[in-house]
Amino acid sequence: MGVNPAASRKQEAGQPTRMGPWRFVVWFGTVSLLADFVYEGARSITGPLLASLGASALVVGVVTGAGEAAALGLRLISGPLADRTRRFWGLAIGGYALTVVSVPLLGVVGVLWVACALVIAERVGKAVRSPAKDTLLSHATAATGRGRGFAVHEAMDQIGALAGPLLVAGVLALTGGDYGPALGVLAVPGIAVLLLLFWLRARVPDPEAYEREAEAAAALTHQAADGRLPRAFWTYAGFTAATTMGLATFGVLSYHLVERHLLTAAWVPVLYAAAMAVDAVAALATGWLYDRCGPRVLIALPVLTAGVVVLAFTDTVAIAVAGSLVWGAAMGIQESTLRATVADLVPSGRRATAYGLFAGVVGAASLAGGALIGGLYGYSIPALITVVVVIQVLAVVLLAVTRTGRP
């Protein structure tokens, strides 16, 4: 039996919004803070964990790339589903639940293929929740300023991304490198994520009430009437795919650091935490600039992406560490300002679908990029750098076309 979108919307809007838009952004940021505590704590040691189970650099690259592809590509389903059913809160809660269950289990398995499956399962949880979550957030940021709202959310996100890896590093140091307890303690913030989500849904059942977009809807009616997304959206998705393809996963970066004996496994989460701090600063800076200057600020992303491979794959500790910090800055832009731009390009009624399609395009690039960078790493690092730089030049061209095509 089909779901009546109007009835679902009415059901979710059964109580009035009782929280200002900035408070909603901050509380939703707290949810993400706790969730990042869980899954970024796990991701900070994915490379060394898989290597300890016998994985090669190629396997780490493919698995982490496949995980990102799942986190992005499956939004092709979850995005349209969210728009069709309007059950944004339900999808967000379900996705978070899958993530916070998968991570503690990752610490107790001892078989490579099971660990790989759990790494991907954690990312599937992100795929289920993200279009719905981003749409909920986009309604509040219509009132706060899209760049600033997404930036504050991302900065709070990264507090958890900083604390989680540090806790994991501490537990690894205390237990002599035992991954089980290090990942098991992450179940506590995972429970808090779900409790806070249910409370926030009760307080703000219909976040779309924040968005007052009569003028924007009138301007975009001709784009939404036939159900098609704006041409600029597709060009923009191409730009993001190009930058994503060239951005190495932290799994490969950490693999390089440990296998070349530049850092011990216990220090890798500390470096990841530092990269997440840089992530937060980059998100705030580019978010505020985006509200003032528009998408031209995104030129920083291909520059940073190229810088990662130039710096991170050296055999000098300081330079390789600097490359990981540059990676953090690139992630900050990717996780905040890129999402804000989608909300500005697409009207509200098609926004979750747009986020899903956008992520699907980027997911394909993530999978290709993980395999490409993992494979080239084992073949020739100079060739890896050359290929990534060429891809980023293409990304700059696509960004220029997107700017001229924006409504």
Side-chain angles (χ1 to χ4, degrees), residues 2 10 29 40 45 59 80 110 118 126 151-152 161 187 199 227 244 270 351 399:
K10 184 176 180 180
E40 296 290 13
I45 56 170
V59 170
L118 286 170
K126 189 172 181 68
V152 167
W199 173 81
T244 302
V270 177
R351 199 168 292 155
L399 178 61

Side-chain angles (χ1 to χ4, degrees), residues 155-304:
M156 295 188 67
D157 210 54
Q158 297 317 300
I159 295 173
L162 175 69
L166 288 177
L167 176 63
V168 168
V171 176
L172 282 175
L174 289 173
T175 61
D178 190 343
Y179 291 108
L183 293 170
V185 296
L186 299 177
V188 176
I191 294 170
V193 166
L194 299 179
L195 293 175
L196 185 54
L197 276 168
F198 282 112
W199 173 81
L200 191 57
R201 181 178 67 172
R203 291 294 305 274
V204 189
D206 183 26
E208 193 170 1
Y210 290 124
E211 188 159 359
R212 301 295 181 259
E213 60 169 10
E215 293 182 3
L220 293 171
T221 298
H222 68 284
Q223 294 175 345
D226 59 3
R228 292 184 294 182
L229 296 169
R231 179 180 300 175
F233 163 79
W234 293 108
T235 310
Y236 180 69
F239 156 74
T240 309
T243 60
T244 302
M245 184 179 293
L247 187 61
T249 65
F250 191 79
V252 176
L253 299 184
S254 60
Y255 180 95
H256 171 80
L257 290 166
V258 173
E259 292 300 304
R260 297 294 181 94
H261 304 291
L262 302 178
L263 290 180
T264 63
W267 276 103
V268 169
V270 177
L271 176 59
Y272 188 83
M276 293 300 97
V278 174
D279 178 316
V281 173
L284 288 170
T286 56
W288 258 262
L289 285 171
Y290 176 83
D291 283 342
R292 290 176 173 270
C293 306
R296 72 185 71 175
V297 301
L298 294 174
I299 190 68
L301 186 53
V303 174
L304 292 171

Side-chain angles (χ1 to χ4, degrees), residues 51-153:
S52 73
L53 297 175
S56 66
L58 179 59
V59 170
V60 173
V62 170
V63 170
T64 54
E68 293 309 306
L72 296 164
L74 291 178
R75 298 182 210 186
L76 288 167
I77 299 172
S78 62
L81 179 64
D83 271 339
R84 187 170 65 252
T85 65
R86 313 303 289 176
R87 295 193 179 278
F88 299 111
W89 278 117
L91 288 167
I93 292 170
Y96 275 115
L98 179 57
T99 287
V100 301
V101 167
S102 297
V103 167
L105 292 177
L106 186 61
V108 299
V109 300
V111 180
L112 178 59
W113 74 266
V114 179
C116 292
L118 286 170
V119 168
I120 295 172
E122 183 272 309
R123 297 282 83 191
V124 170
K126 189 172 181 68
V128 172
R129 70 178 179 263
S130 288
K133 180 201 73 173
D134 286 344
T135 301
L136 292 170
L137 186 61
S138 75
H139 294 316
T141 60
T144 64
R146 286 254 157 73
R148 285 174 291 177
F150 274 95
V152 167
H153 178 270

